[in-house]
Amino acid sequence: MKLYYKPGACSLASHIALIEAGESFDLEQVDTAAGTTASGGDFRAINPKGYVPALVLDEGETVTEGAAILQLIAERNPDAGLLPQAGGLGRTRVQEQLNFIASELHKAFGPFFSGKPLEGEARDAAVERVNGRMQIVEAMLADGRDYLNGAQFSVADAYLFVVTNWANFLGLSLDAVPNLKALVARVAERPATRAAMQAEGLLG
């Protein structure tokens, strides 16, 4: 299979999950602004939506949308323990978390990546929205759990790590969300995370 990615974008979560799962895969970087792949291909021919991630399976099918890709990777590699057992509340909780991260936290960061200057009241409003969404996650972690679903790392934690870590690159403090900050640090030290970030040129 092949993962089409942009360094540090939400596709990093899929990259981490593939390594956690022990999958064999290829990588190809995408210039989403130009709509081209590193090899000169037309990325929109692969994903008409024009954004990453896109995962091309060995059987030729292409899967898009990060939350769907993460679930697919986990379901294809059950021994990796990246999702709780199907049919139980634990699985539903991870799906709930993935949906919240995608539709609320990830989306809240959108104004920072619009390509337009974000200043004054507009920036203040965007920061407030991000902080509000992070406070919701902070409340989930207030019981001292290591990861979103308890002691076990899941694909939702990979996605949460990537999105929350954008705060560090945008100059947004995580001091008001110490439990979330600790989770980000915990995921950052996982071998799969470090390997993925190294491959994407995000580590020195």
Side-chain angles (χ1 to χ4, degrees):
M1 63 180 67
K2 178 183 282 189
L3 176 67
Y4 289 88
Y5 77 101
K6 182 177 180 178
C10 58
S11 49
L12 175 60
S14 298
H15 194 172
I16 293 168
L18 285 166
I19 297 174
E20 288 276 1
E23 279 279 11
S24 176
F25 63 97
D26 296 320
L27 286 170
E28 185 156 359
Q29 188 170 331
V30 176
D31 182 336
T32 51
T36 57
T37 68
S39 62
D42 178 4
F43 181 58
R44 288 188 177 274
I46 298 161
N47 181 11
K49 300 169 185 174
Y51 53 75
V52 293
L55 184 66
V56 179
L57 306 179
D58 292 338
E59 52 266 41
E61 293 285 341
T62 299
V63 182
T64 63
E65 301 302 327
I69 291 172
L70 289 168
Q71 290 179 87
L72 176 68
I73 293 167
E75 288 170 352
R76 287 194 164 202
N77 299 276
D79 291 344
L82 297 175
L83 271 180
Q85 185 176 359
L89 183 59
R91 173 69 71 93
T92 300
R93 289 300 185 204
V94 173
Q95 292 170 330
E96 180 182 38
Q97 293 151 9
L98 286 169
N99 277 286
F100 174 80
I101 297 165
S103 64
E104 297 295 333
L105 185 57
H106 186 163
K107 187 176 180 180
F109 277 96
F112 294 95
F113 301 113
S114 67
K116 301 176 182 178
L118 190 61
E119 301 172 341
E121 292 183 359
R123 179 179 173 84
D124 291 345
V127 170
E128 183 178 359
R129 184 172 178 82
V130 167
N131 287 340
R133 297 301 181 267
M134 289 197 298
Q135 284 293 343
I136 293 171
V137 180
E138 179 70 8
M140 294 171 59
L141 302 172
D143 59 4
R145 66 184 70 182
D146 286 341
Y147 297 109
L148 282 171
N149 216 36
Q152 181 65 38
F153 174 86
S154 78
V155 288
D157 298 295
Y159 194 5
L160 178 63
F161 163 77
V162 171
V163 174
T164 306
N165 199 44
W166 291 338
N168 293 315
F169 296 98
L170 295 169
L172 306 181
S173 175
L174 296 179
D175 290 346
V177 284
N179 292 303
L180 176 54
K181 185 176 182 178
L183 184 150
V184 169
R186 194 172 295 119
V187 176
E189 291 304 313
R190 293 181 70 87
T193 304
R194 294 189 61 82
M197 294 185 74
Q198 184 73 46
E200 295 192 12
L202 302 172
L203 294 179

